[in-house]
Amino acid sequence: MLYYLFSVFVAFFDVQPVQSLLYPLHYICLICSNYFDLPLYQINYLFCFLVSFILAIIFRFFTNTTLRHTYSTVCGVLFVIFVHGNDVYHGLCSVIIVYIIMYLLPNKFGFYLVWILSFGYLMLNQFYIQYLYYTKDNVNDYTYTQMFLTLKMCAFAANILDGKASSQSLSSHQQKKRIEKYPSLLEYLSWNYYFSAVLIGPFFEYNDYIKFIQHSLENPNKRVWDTYQEQTWFFYLCEILLKIFVLSLLVIKSYDYGVELLYDEKFLSEASIFYKLYYIWVCGILLKTKYYFLWTLVEGSVLVSGFGFNGYDHQNKLWNRGYNGSFIGVEFAQNLSDVVYNWNKKTERWMRYYVMYRIVKRTKHSKKSIATTLGLLMTIIIYALWHGFYLVNYYFIICVVIFNITYIYAIKLIQPTIDSKPLIIQQAFSLFCVLLPSFSLNYLCVRIQVMIFTNSYYNSHFLVKQ
């Protein structure tokens, strides 16, 4: 019924006229798609990320606040139309409905209503996409954009509710991020459709974004080129450009380490166990490089637009607000908790502040450990639901949780014995503690890909011949 109503709505507000204006750009992407033999939607994504750098430079020359909001909103909406077409209305209608709800009901009822509707509509869309395209590859899934709009809508409802509460009842984070003055519709849309981060995130706080638009995030009197000439800013930009170059090479190299080999009968029977271990580890690392690559592109666009400033560290300016994933932090983490912290950092932070801490705070239980466990459990459930209904996602999350609990407990038992051994044994054990989580993570990543390609949840272990 909802999709019937949506189709009727689209019939009256079809974005085809807008898409026709963008046709020359679509044609360029189509040529690149045929040349590189990649799906068109992936080229469209990449094209938008690259264009966002140019738009970010232009954006820096606008000083009028209203013009900056308008520019950001229009560019963001055009990006979504360019990639997803009429599916832009899924997000646009959702954010406007949430804006109206919190304007009329800035209380707990409105807060819970927004969370139920936002996550409910996201999950409905994800179920619909999965139902239609579960056995198909290279699907242009508009729910990726909807996922990050959902985070923003839920955070908006929470911050509006905090704006009505007394300061004594709020944590330091809630006091900094609460919204006391209801924003205009343009300000709200500008935040949701900020062009540098509209397609795949990451999540940014509303108050931080408004300060950035109003030039009060860093120095309101600074000229455009003053920032570009700063040494720390220039070093960050060079670092990002270097990371983009290296990661692009790794993404290209990942095609030489496809998971298809891991369910090839000849490879399974002839390859040695050590080569299999090596191949799985490298394949798992390279599988994740496309995420690092896209996140780094977004980080670069955010930096160029001026939103990268993130405070000070020992009197040196930090420009890492758009930083969303650490290659070293993930691939060489000492446990899988560190992996969660370093992977999709902005989403992890959102889950921590808007789910776990709030549940722990509201839980009426005398034992803090039980409240924390309950908060952690609910965070894991919401994180899993946010990713959709694919069984492999739940399999991965459950495996990570079980491995991490087992790993931490085992290390606590073994560590006292190792501490009394010679230094070389201690160093070997430290190296083992780094390699084991890394291999376990990459093994899970590769196994999930094999499960998807073979459409099998049973015969997917490939260290031994099937």
Side-chain angles (χ1 to χ4, degrees):
M1 182 63 180
L2 286 174
Y3 279 91
Y4 173 75
L5 294 175
F6 179 75
S7 62
V8 173
F9 175 84
V10 169
F12 286 97
F13 299 97
D14 194 350
V15 299
Q16 186 61 40
V18 180
Q19 288 183 304
S20 63
L21 295 176
L22 300 174
Y23 178 75
L25 303 180
H26 271 292
Y27 184 70
I28 294 173
C29 291
L30 183 61
I31 293 175
C32 294
S33 175
N34 293 329
Y35 181 80
F36 293 106
D37 193 25
L38 291 173
L40 178 59
Y41 81 92
Q42 293 182 7
I43 299 295
N44 288 343
Y45 268 105
L46 184 59
F47 181 81
C48 289
F49 294 141
L50 296 177
V51 169
S52 69
F53 278 81
I54 301 173
L55 297 178
I57 295 174
I58 299 172
F59 180 73
R60 290 301 301 270
F61 288 92
F62 297 139
T63 57
N64 180 272
T65 300
T66 302
L67 185 58
R68 286 163 67 86
H69 278 304
T70 305
Y71 180 88
S72 180
T73 304
V74 171
C75 291
V77 171
L78 287 177
F79 275 172
V80 181
I81 291 175
F82 185 79
V83 175
H84 298 303
N86 282 320
D87 289 325
V88 65
Y89 288 118
H90 288 290
L92 195 58
C93 292
S94 298
V95 298
I96 292 175
I97 290 172
V98 167
Y99 180 83
I100 295 172
I101 289 174
M102 292 310 298
Y103 182 81
L104 298 175
L105 300 169
N107 50 37
K108 286 186 178 181
F109 179 76
F111 167 78
Y112 289 120
L113 182 61
V114 166
W115 276 66
I116 292 172
L117 289 178
S118 298
F119 267 95
Y121 190 66
L122 172 65
M123 292 162 62
L124 177 66
N125 281 285
Q126 290 172 328
F127 181 80
Y128 179 72
I129 291 292
Q130 182 175 342
Y131 175 76
L132 288 181
Y133 306 111
Y134 183 69
T135 58
K136 298 180 180 179
D137 297 327
N138 299 321
V139 176
N140 186 8
D141 190 350
Y142 61 85
T143 61
Y144 291 145
T145 300
Q146 187 74 15
M147 288 167 68
F148 290 96
L149 289 176
T150 299
L151 298 186
K152 289 185 176 181
M153 289 185 285
C154 292
F156 179 75
N159 292 329
I160 290 292
L161 183 64
D162 291 341
K164 304 294 181 180
S166 62
S167 300
Q168 292 76 12
S169 62
L170 303 176
S171 66
S172 59
H173 178 267
Q174 289 175 298
Q175 292 180 32
K176 292 178 182 178
K177 307 307 178 185
R178 66 176 180 171
I179 303 173
E180 299 182 79
K181 179 184 177 183
Y182 207 81
S184 68
L185 182 59
L186 179 60
E187 291 173 331
Y188 174 72
L189 290 176
S190 173
W191 169 58
N192 277 283
Y193 284 91
Y194 169 51
F195 63 92
S196 290
V198 65
L199 292 175
I200 60 166
F203 167 78
F204 295 112
E205 295 284 357
Y206 172 81
N207 282 351
D208 295 337
Y209 178 77
I210 292 300
K211 290 177 181 178
F212 154 63
I213 292 293
Q214 296 174 349
H215 304 279
S216 60
L217 189 64
E218 185 189 355
N219 183 354
N221 298 318
K222 178 172 288 188
R223 297 172 300 172
V224 174
W225 294 109
D226 288 344
T227 297
Y228 290 163
Q229 292 170 1
E230 285 195 18
Q231 190 177 42
T232 54
W233 183 92
F234 182 74
F235 284 159
Y236 266 94
L237 180 62
C238 291
E239 179 185 342
I240 288 173
L241 294 177
L242 179 61
K243 286 197 295 184
I244 290 173
F245 174 73
V246 173
L247 289 170
S248 64
L249 296 179
L250 291 177
V251 170
I252 295 172
K253 186 64 177 177
S254 66
Y255 289 95
D256 296 333
Y257 285 84
V259 297
E260 298 86 356
L261 196 62
L262 293 172
Y263 51 88
D264 179 75
E265 289 293 329
K266 184 178 180 181
F267 174 81
L268 293 174
S269 59
E270 295 181 1
S272 67
I273 186 68
F274 296 104
Y275 184 74
K276 289 179 184 178
L277 291 172
Y278 160 78
Y279 192 91
I280 291 169
W281 190 44
V282 175
C283 182
I285 291 175
L286 293 177
L287 277 173
K288 299 189 290 295
T289 54
K290 59 183 177 181
Y291 296 100
Y292 299 124
F293 176 67
L294 295 178
W295 286 338
T296 306
L297 285 176
V298 173
E299 182 185 1
S301 178
V302 169
L303 179 66
V304 174
S305 73
F307 196 23
F309 178 69
N310 199 25
Y312 293 85
D313 180 25
H314 304 297
Q315 298 183 345
N316 294 320
K317 289 185 176 181
L318 297 175
W319 300 92
N320 60 351
R321 186 179 297 276
Y323 186 55
N324 197 38
S326 171
F327 180 90
I328 301 298
V330 171
E331 303 303 337
F332 298 98
Q334 293 197 2
N335 56 66
L336 293 184
S337 295
D338 291 341
V339 171
V340 173
Y341 177 77
N342 288 288
W343 175 264
N344 203 350
K345 294 169 74 72
K346 299 295 184 180
T347 301
E348 185 275 336
R349 184 179 176 86
W350 186 94
M351 291 288 171
R352 183 158 28 108
Y353 283 112
Y354 288 98
V355 180
M356 183 172 176
Y357 288 173
R358 289 173 182 263
I359 290 176
V360 172
K361 183 178 179 181
R362 294 173 185 271
T363 302
K364 306 295 184 182
H365 202 286
S366 57
K367 291 186 178 181
K368 186 177 179 180
S369 59
I370 295 179
T372 303
T373 302
L374 178 62
L376 181 60
L377 179 62
M378 288 301 300
T379 303
I380 293 172
I381 292 174
I382 291 176
Y383 185 75
L385 292 175
W386 183 68
H387 279 86
F389 296 97
Y390 293 99
L391 293 179
V392 290
N393 291 339
Y394 296 90
Y395 170 85
F396 180 81
I397 292 172
I398 291 172
C399 287
V400 167
V401 171
I402 294 174
F403 174 85
N404 200 45
I405 293 174
T406 306
Y407 173 81
I408 293 175
Y409 183 72
I411 292 298
K412 286 183 178 179
L413 289 178
I414 299 172
Q415 189 67 55
T417 304
I418 298 297
D419 290 340
S420 61
K421 300 296 181 180
L423 180 60
I424 189 172
I425 295 180
Q426 296 181 28
Q427 292 175 339
F429 182 73
S430 298
L431 178 62
F432 173 80
C433 290
V434 172
L435 294 180
L436 180 61
S438 177
F439 177 78
S440 302
L441 172 68
N442 291 307
Y443 175 82
L444 283 174
C445 292
V446 172
R447 185 176 183 212
I448 283 176
Q449 291 298 313
V450 172
M451 292 166 72
I452 293 173
F453 276 103
T454 60
N455 198 25
S456 171
Y457 293 90
Y458 304 103
N459 299 321
S460 301
H461 286 290
F462 33 72
L463 286 178
V464 295
K465 187 179 182 301
Q466 303 298 318

